[in-house]
């Protein structure tokens, strides 16, 4: 059982890293992560997504629990919690659920779209020049090496079967 307490003011853009430890020996066992007590006025209008960094699976914890298998061990930073604002009157959840991690990034980052298929994406520098174009994607995730790019702010336009969204990423 895990409880997160004592965080500063809520920020919808915050990523919360979580570890996991199991002392059960022998074979791998089944575990689950879910939201049990969800408190706070600001939390009523957000989706909560859990990213399993080992399996690269993203689960909307606001709607269902995440089940996984693990063997005896300590898994530091295996999971990350992400929060995305609900947009009333518009079902923009597939676009808002897209996660870029890590952000800021040094070399390699991953785009994960848990609710929509990524079709393509464009990567722009701060001046609006396209520096990377990836087309004909059919996955829900994509890993990209940007080590050759200069340090700075970039924008990634992600085109999915549900629509298009632009997100900011910082390159260290």
């Amino acid at each position: 059982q895990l409880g997160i307490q004592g965080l500063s003011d809520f920020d919808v853009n915050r990523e919360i890293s979580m570890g996991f430890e199991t002392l059960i020996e022998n074979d791998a066992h089944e575990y689950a992560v879910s939201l049990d007590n969800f408190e706070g006025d600001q939390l009523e209008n957000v989706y909560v997504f859990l990213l399993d960094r080992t399996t690269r699976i993203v689960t909307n914890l606001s709607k269902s629990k995440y089940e996984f298998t693990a063997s005896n061990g300590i898994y530091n930073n295996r999971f990350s919690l992400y929060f995305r604002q609900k947009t009333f009157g518009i079902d923009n959840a597939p676009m808002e659920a897209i996660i870029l991690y890590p952000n800021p990034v040094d070399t390699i980052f991953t785009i994960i779209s848990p609710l929509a298929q990524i079709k393509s994406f464009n990567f722009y520098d701060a001046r609006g020049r396209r520096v990377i174009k990836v087309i004909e994607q059919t996955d829900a995730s994509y890993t990209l090496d940007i080590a050759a790019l200069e340090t700075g702010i970039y924008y990634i336009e992600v085109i999915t079967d549900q629509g298009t969204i632009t997100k900011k990423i910082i390159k260290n």
Side-chain angles (χ1 to χ4, degrees), residues 144-165:
L144 185 64
D145 185 343
I146 60 170
L149 296 179
E150 294 180 18
T151 298
I153 296 174
Y154 293 86
Y155 296 91
I156 184 162
E157 175 188 45
V158 182
I159 298 110
T160 74
D161 60 346
Q162 301 287 312
T164 301
I165 192 166

Side-chain angles (χ1 to χ4, degrees), residues 13-84:
N13 296 311
R14 174 180 288 174
E15 170 192 351
I16 299 174
S17 293
M18 298 185 329
F20 170 76
E21 178 178 4
T22 177
L23 301 175
I24 301 174
E25 297 194 20
N26 300 328
D27 298 330
H29 289 78
E30 294 286 324
Y31 299 92
V33 177
S34 64
L35 294 176
D36 188 26
N37 293 332
F38 201 64
E39 299 175 5
D41 293 339
Q42 294 177 328
L43 297 176
E44 292 176 7
N45 298 321
V46 297
Y47 294 105
V48 180
F49 292 95
L50 177 81
L51 166 64
D52 183 333
R53 292 180 182 271
T54 300
T55 62
R56 294 178 44 192
I57 294 173
V58 176
T59 301
N60 183 347
L61 291 179
S62 303
K63 296 187 176 193
S64 63
K65 66 182 176 182
Y66 174 64
E67 296 178 330
F68 65 100
T69 303
S71 299
N72 181 14
I74 298 172
Y75 302 88
N76 292 324
N77 300 315
R78 175 169 177 172
F79 303 106
S80 287
L81 285 178
Y82 292 88
F83 305 91
R84 295 297 181 261

Side-chain angles (χ1 to χ4, degrees), residues 73-117:
I74 298 172
Y75 302 88
N76 292 324
N77 300 315
R78 175 169 177 172
F79 303 106
S80 287
L81 285 178
Y82 292 88
F83 305 91
R84 295 297 181 261
Q85 196 74 42
K86 292 179 183 175
T87 306
F88 296 103
I90 302 170
D91 186 11
N92 204 26
M95 307 295 27
E96 293 300 325
I98 293 174
I99 296 169
L100 308 177
Y101 82 91
N103 190 8
V105 59
D106 292 319
T107 56
I108 297 174
F109 79 97
T110 302
I111 305 165
I112 296 180
S113 178
L115 304 177
Q117 287 291 105

